[in-house]
Amino acid sequence: MDKKQTPKRSKKEPKVEPEEYAVEKVLDQRLVNGKVEFFLKWKGFTEADNTWEPEENLNPELVSAFLEAQKNVKEKPAPVKRKSSTAEPQTEAKKKDVTERPCGFTRNLEPERIIGAGASSGELMFLMKWKDSDVADLVPAREAHTRCPQVVISYYDERIAWIARPEDEAQ
């Protein structure tokens, strides 16, 4: 936006003072290019009209009152949230179920097929579907290679893609 120059007034016209706005509340502070700015809520205006203003444009008493209030807020300890007594046993029960439930080859089930593969903690893992079970488990690939090599070979065979080269087709 370009600033328009105001025409020079004759001496008879009264001089118009710039309008001053009243600060309702200082909401926040930040540092921009080494200068402190404060986020202000203006009296008679909506939250959408809040602005960041440099410290030098503000009343020093207003700034010190905000800083003092901020110091008091930081010194108060955070309130401790209480958990309901019924929630704790449920979470403990869930933890027990997860840790006590056997998974992978410890279930002594026969592997049916490998559903997918992925890396977990830097190790190749297979998602194994078991015969007579609806639950699939992640098992280390190195363990699957030794315990069920035919299932692993079948998985790789399903996914291998041969690309025919033109010179191979000519022969």
Side-chain angles (χ1 to χ4, degrees):
M1 286 171 72
D2 294 343
K3 290 185 176 181
K4 294 183 181 178
Q5 290 182 343
T6 56
K8 293 185 180 180
R9 295 188 173 113
S10 66
K11 293 181 182 180
K12 294 179 183 176
E13 289 183 36
K15 202 174 190 181
V16 178
E17 294 289 323
E19 191 173 345
E20 286 193 25
Y21 299 97
V23 174
E24 182 178 316
K25 186 177 182 182
V26 179
L27 302 171
D28 200 2
Q29 116 183 47
R30 70 180 181 185
L31 191 65
V32 177
N33 296 328
K35 293 191 176 190
V36 178
E37 293 182 346
F38 293 91
F39 195 54
L40 305 178
K41 166 75 173 93
W42 299 99
K43 281 185 185 174
F45 291 89
T46 66
E47 298 289 326
D49 296 318
N50 295 353
T51 59
W52 287 99
E53 297 294 329
E55 183 176 16
E56 59 267 10
N57 291 358
L58 302 176
N59 180 337
E61 292 173 9
L62 189 66
V63 172
S64 60
F66 171 75
L67 295 174
E68 189 64 33
Q70 287 297 104
K71 189 189 304 182
N72 290 339
V73 169
K74 289 179 183 176
E75 289 175 359
K76 291 181 183 176
V80 177
K81 293 184 179 179
R82 302 175 97 193
K83 295 180 182 177
S84 66
S85 59
T86 57
E88 291 177 23
Q90 290 175 350
T91 56
E92 289 175 12
K94 287 180 184 178
K95 288 179 184 176
K96 287 180 183 177
D97 289 344
V98 170
T99 57
E100 290 180 8
R101 185 181 75 87
C103 60
F105 289 103
T106 59
R107 294 171 60 193
N108 295 323
L109 295 174
E110 189 178 341
E112 184 178 318
R113 66 188 186 94
I114 298 172
I115 300 171
S120 176
S121 303
E123 181 179 15
L124 180 61
M125 303 288 279
F126 290 135
L127 183 59
M128 188 75 69
K129 167 76 172 87
W130 307 96
K131 289 183 182 173
D132 302 323
S133 176
D134 293 332
V135 179
D137 294 316
L138 275 176
V139 296
R142 58 182 158 65
E143 188 175 2
H145 289 139
T146 58
R147 290 189 171 219
C148 55
Q150 290 304 317
V151 175
V152 174
I153 291 169
S154 296
Y155 174 75
Y156 287 137
D157 282 346
E158 290 169 5
R159 280 150 185 80
I160 196 165
W162 294 102
I163 301 172
R165 296 185 303 191
E167 58 269 8
D168 290 342
E169 289 179 4
Q171 295 177 351

